[in-house]
Amino acid sequence: MKKIVLLLLAFTGTLLATAQKNETKKKTDWSKIDLSDRPADHLMIQYGGDSWTNRPDSVRTGNGFSRHFNIYFMVDKPFKTNKRMSIGLGAGLGTSNIFFNNTKVDIKSPTTRLPFTNVDSANHFDKFKLTSIYFEIPVELRYYSNPEDPSKSWKAAIGFKLGTLLKSYTKGKNLVNKNGQSLYGTSYVEKESSKRFINGTMLAATARVGYGIFSIDAGYQLNGVLKDGTGPSMRKFSVGVTISGL
């Protein structure tokens, strides 16, 4: 998945650079391109898979679909000198859910480093995840093959997003013994919340390529998932689907 993210980032950047170069070679009459019916704002919704890079053996992810769900309110500002290009900026919420395989993540531990404990031979949760919720500001450089009608246009975007941590918590469901037998019933849930170990700031590079309202998106976190000195230096990468009017 990491290779897919990096390839999509590189491909989108190359596509935007090539498109801009081609536009400078052509003498386009921008006065004939009418964007008066194109909306200036829109929602952008993203859903897909997440993972962490550089995980040590103790960080055993899996036993569930690690995923993200993001929603942003965006404003689009076309370039006056090239109406196929625009800047999109906005604000919204980004969530990441990382599932673990028979591993306890003690987010409320008093230790200086976040413990990832193997619980194969002890009571453990059948499903266990770590959720992080950020308030995020995305910024994109965008290209449209048909700027007058984005719903019938190829599009590409490259950019970044900056986030500040609102909440992080672990959620375990269905406590079982080492033999997999449920102790309190399958609906039993336990939550613990703390922001002490999770990086309070998130900075990620992003890219999208698609047609109409749908596109494939990718993101790679440029700083660590955990605060410096509190655990292994891991970074989040994501691949998913975006629904966006622009």
Side-chain angles (χ1 to χ4, degrees), residues 1-2 4-6 8-9 46-53 66-68 70 95-96 98 161 204-207 216-221 235-241:
M1 188 183 290
K2 181 180 178 181
I4 295 174
V5 173
L6 297 177
L8 185 54
L9 288 169
Q46 298 179 328
Y47 179 80
D50 282 2
S51 188
W52 290 347
T53 67
S66 294
R67 59 189 180 267
H68 62 264
N70 310 325
T95 66
S96 178
I98 303 296
K161 58 183 178 181
T206 62
I216 301 299
D217 65 76
Y220 182 74
Q221 188 167 337
R235 301 184 182 189
K236 183 185 73 174
F237 58 94
S238 308
V239 175
V241 175

Side-chain angles (χ1 to χ4, degrees), residues 29-42:
D29 186 356
W30 297 112
S31 63
K32 295 180 180 180
I33 296 181
D34 183 10
L35 302 184
S36 59
D37 292 332
R38 196 172 94 175
D41 54 58
H42 60 288

Side-chain angles (χ1 to χ4, degrees), residues 35 38-43 73-79 83-90 140-144 147 150 155-157 208 244-246:
L35 302 184
R38 196 172 94 175
D41 54 58
H42 60 288
L43 286 177
F73 178 79
M74 303 291 294
V75 176
D76 190 70
K77 298 291 185 181
F79 288 5
K83 293 182 181 179
R84 285 191 172 90
M85 307 287 291
S86 71
I87 291 290
L89 57 105
E140 292 185 326
L141 173 63
R142 298 170 168 178
Y143 169 80
Y144 305 94
K155 59 184 65 175
R208 295 192 293 125
S244 175
L246 293 174

